[in-house]
């Protein structure tokens, strides 16, 4: 995926530009995303290193989708024959004129053919979306969801891949990326979107009075003191029992005979 109005990226390293000039190509590329999209210059570059495998008379320098697919189909057979494995995403990005894809692909070809290592033209993660470009724009100038779909999906992509489900997955990915950006904007600038804080967010968080009192005072639990004179028995539930000695009353030396004659009569023998 790419963005049609993305700013033009920096040019190739000087070593890569000198290497391209030394190959004496048919024409010097000026717009990399357009000049390398049909695969003609790519085939001409490899023909200098593998002249017996790439006959240039079978390649056509045209702009139609049929010419592009024919040239890249022959290049695909050549890559499989020589066991070369270029990145498929870079090939697709070059075919569909994704900004920055042709430059990175040429650098990969340079390292593949010359066995030299160079630094890429960008340090961030390589992707062909409008994420970096949209982040640089102010909020009022950023694209909507419909505009993002139109800008990130090329017509040639739909013509090459007419599968509806595949294109639907691409559209869903673009919409998810757009929604994530919008949610991030709402979190960073809630005043712009008139987002009012909730009652819980407006409430003042103060420490509890009880927790403050407990933290300031050092409460100690009373420790039970065992009595030496008494015998303590600990139960299963941790309850302490104390034995009490009860002094019994002495028995009377005589028997007591109770005889009741009538209600209200006195007890004899007392």
């Amino acid at each position: 995926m790419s963005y049609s109005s993305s700013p033009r990226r920096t040019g190739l390293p000087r070593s890569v530009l000198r290497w391209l000039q030394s190959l004496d190509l048919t024409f010097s590329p000026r717009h990399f995303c357009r000049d390398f999209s049909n695969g003609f210059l790519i085939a001409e570059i490899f023909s200098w290193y593998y002249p017996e495998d790439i006959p240039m008379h079978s390649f056509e320098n045209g702009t139609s989708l049929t010419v592009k697919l024919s040239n890249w189909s022959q290049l695909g057979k050549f890559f499989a024959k020589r066991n070369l494995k270029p990145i498929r995403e870079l090939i697709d990005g070059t075919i569909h004129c994704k900004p920055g894809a042709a430059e990175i692909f040429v650098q990969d070809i340079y390292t593949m053919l010359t066995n030299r290592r160079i630094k890429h033209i960008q340090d961030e993660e390589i992707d062909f979306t409008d994420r970096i470009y949209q982040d640089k724009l102010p909020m009022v100038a950023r694209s909507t969801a419909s505009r993002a779909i139109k800008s990130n999906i090329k017509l040639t992509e739909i013509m090459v891949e007419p599968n509806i489900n595949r294109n639907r997955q691409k559209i869903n990915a673009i919409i998810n990326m757009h929604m994530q950006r919008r949610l991030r904007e709402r979190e960073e600038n809630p005043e712009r979107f008139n987002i009012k804080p909730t009652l819980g967010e407006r409430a003042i968080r103060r420490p509890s009075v009880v927790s403050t009192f407990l933290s300031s005072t050092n409460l100690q639990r009373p420790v039970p003191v065992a009595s030496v004179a008494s015998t303590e028995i600990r139960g299963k539930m941790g309850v302490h029992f104390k034995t009490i000695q009860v002094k019994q009353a002495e028995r009377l030396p005589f028997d007591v005979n109770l005889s009741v004659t009538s209600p209200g009569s006195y007890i004899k023998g007392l």
Side-chain angles (χ1 to χ4, degrees):
M1 295 179 294
S2 64
Y3 192 65
S4 58
S5 59
S6 176
R8 187 176 179 180
R9 306 195 180 191
T10 57
L12 295 174
R14 184 173 298 179
S15 59
V16 180
L17 290 175
R18 290 179 178 177
W19 172 70
L20 288 176
Q21 293 175 358
S22 65
L23 297 178
D24 193 15
L25 301 177
T26 304
F27 61 94
S28 178
R30 296 183 178 180
H31 302 279
F32 283 87
C33 62
R34 183 186 62 189
D35 295 338
F36 285 94
S37 62
N38 58 2
F40 181 81
L41 288 180
I42 301 296
E44 192 173 5
I45 291 173
F46 279 102
S47 66
W48 283 93
Y49 292 87
Y50 305 95
E52 67 279 1
D53 295 332
I54 299 181
M56 287 305 301
H57 60 83
S58 61
F59 290 87
E60 183 180 354
N61 188 14
T63 57
S64 64
L65 182 61
T66 306
V67 173
K68 291 182 179 181
L69 295 179
S70 176
N71 292 342
W72 284 102
S73 177
Q74 297 181 59
L75 287 174
K77 297 177 182 179
F78 163 72
F79 293 150
K81 179 180 179 180
R82 287 294 180 175
N83 197 18
L84 300 176
K85 298 179 180 179
I87 302 175
R88 184 63 192 178
E89 288 77 7
L90 293 178
I91 295 177
D92 294 338
T94 304
I95 295 174
H96 302 298
C97 300
K98 304 298 180 68
E103 289 90 336
I104 302 174
F105 189 39
V106 170
Q107 292 183 61
D108 287 346
I109 295 174
Y110 172 78
T111 57
M112 187 187 305
L113 297 177
T114 61
N115 293 326
R116 299 176 185 176
R117 298 183 60 86
I118 58 174
K119 185 179 180 181
H120 285 288
I121 59 176
Q122 60 181 10
D123 296 330
E124 63 268 10
E125 184 181 357
I126 297 174
D127 60 350
F128 303 121
T129 62
D130 61 342
R131 177 179 57 85
I132 300 176
Y133 176 63
Q134 291 293 325
D135 292 339
K136 296 179 180 179
L137 294 176
M139 291 186 182
V140 295
R142 294 177 182 176
S143 61
T144 59
S146 60
R147 178 62 182 173
I149 294 173
K150 295 178 181 179
S151 301
N152 286 286
I153 297 182
K154 298 287 186 177
L155 180 60
T156 54
E157 295 184 64
I158 300 176
M159 297 173 62
V160 172
E161 186 64 41
N163 191 352
I164 298 177
N165 294 329
R166 188 70 179 272
N167 294 327
R168 188 176 298 172
Q169 292 177 0
K170 294 180 181 179
I171 293 173
N172 291 334
I174 296 171
I175 293 176
N176 292 334
M177 180 183 63
H178 177 77
M179 294 301 296
Q180 291 177 3
R181 183 185 296 113
R182 296 288 291 180
L183 290 176
R184 186 173 65 253
E185 293 174 358
R186 293 173 69 90
E187 292 178 357
E188 294 175 355
N189 301 284
E191 296 83 5
R192 180 178 180 82
F193 297 92
N194 196 19
I195 300 177
K196 297 180 180 180
T198 61
L199 182 61
E201 294 174 351
R202 289 182 295 175
I204 301 175
R205 305 295 180 181
R206 294 181 178 178
S208 177
V209 179
V210 178
S211 61
T212 306
F213 176 75
L214 293 177
S215 61
S216 61
T217 58
N218 187 11
L219 300 179
Q220 297 181 357
R221 295 183 179 180
V223 180
V225 180
S227 178
V228 180
S230 62
T231 304
E232 295 183 357
I233 302 175
R234 182 179 297 274
K236 294 182 178 181
M237 301 299 294
V239 181
H240 298 275
F241 298 93
K242 184 177 181 181
T243 59
I244 301 175
Q245 296 180 359
V246 181
K247 186 177 181 181
Q248 297 182 358
E250 297 181 353
R251 285 188 175 185
L252 296 175
F254 53 88
D255 297 333
V256 179
N257 297 325
L258 298 177
S259 59
V260 180
T261 56
S262 61
S265 61
Y266 297 95
I267 301 175
K268 295 181 179 181
L270 296 177

